[in-house]
Amino acid sequence: MNIPVFADIEAAHRIVAKYAHHTPVLTSQSINKITGGNLFFKCENFQKVGAFKFRGACNAVFSLSEEDAKKGVATHSSGNHAAALALAARMRGIAAHIVMPDNSPEIKKKAVAGYGAKITFCEPTLQARESTLAKIVAETGATEIHPYNNFFVIAGQGTAAKEMIEDFGDFDIIMAPVGGGGLLGGTAISTKYLLPECKVIAAEPAGADDAFRSFQA
């Protein structure tokens, strides 16, 4: 997979801006007092489907050629990426095939179904998710849109940091959650281009610090 550059994030933003919310950046005097700094929160919880995932899914879906789009898109996901891809596909008027573990939260299942996706449930293992998705892609010809290991998804996620920097200017540090790494990758690309001296730090829960432990190892 090619690695996006800032020009790719600019191209993604031209697409994303048409369909996604330009989310607000909020501050809290109480939190600033506790931390002794000035913190700014890019509120992607106000994004469509309630998560930044819509940015990447939107860019990936609307970057497809007409020929590929006719065959639909597919992914495996237990939550936000599933909903994001389902909504983006509905907005373009194409099919979305979503593989979800059968133990996914009910509210996530309902959200994905509500956006009109075709859901296939599988056992809650990575092997089951991947093999079920591979079968669906082979049968339908749909384009697989990986939740984070995808050029257009990474570029789309990078639009969040781009907006925040363009709206509020200079920052010393930008912290991004790290799960699969799509948001972190896009954030790093935007930040290092627009604010070369700004530090980019990945954050994750202490009780689920697999990225930290992998990095140390």
Side-chain angles (χ1 to χ4, degrees), residues 159-217:
T159 63
K162 178 178 180 290
E163 283 181 4
M164 186 170 69
I165 293 168
E166 290 176 344
D167 287 348
F168 283 85
D170 201 8
F171 292 99
D172 298 314
I173 296 171
I174 290 182
M175 298 182 70
V178 54
L183 177 64
L184 179 63
T187 297
I189 295 166
S190 287
T191 303
K192 289 303 177 180
Y193 183 88
L194 295 171
L195 298 174
E197 301 303 315
C198 180
K199 291 182 179 179
V200 177
I201 298 178
E204 62 183 351
D209 62 339
D210 53 320
F212 176 79
R213 287 184 282 114
S214 296
F215 184 75
Q216 294 301 312

Side-chain angles (χ1 to χ4, degrees), residues 83-143:
L85 191 66
L87 177 57
R90 188 181 76 177
M91 292 172 76
R92 184 159 181 183
I94 63 176
H97 305 273
I98 310 294
V99 176
M100 300 187 75
D102 52 22
N103 66 345
S104 299
E106 286 301 319
I107 192 169
K108 300 293 187 182
K109 294 177 182 177
K110 291 179 180 178
V112 175
Y115 291 132
K118 300 176 182 178
I119 304 175
T120 301
F121 294 107
C122 67
E123 294 181 4
T125 66
L126 181 60
Q127 181 179 3
R129 288 163 62 141
E130 291 181 341
S131 62
T132 304
L133 177 61
K135 181 179 179 181
I136 291 173
V137 169
E139 292 175 351
T140 64
T143 299

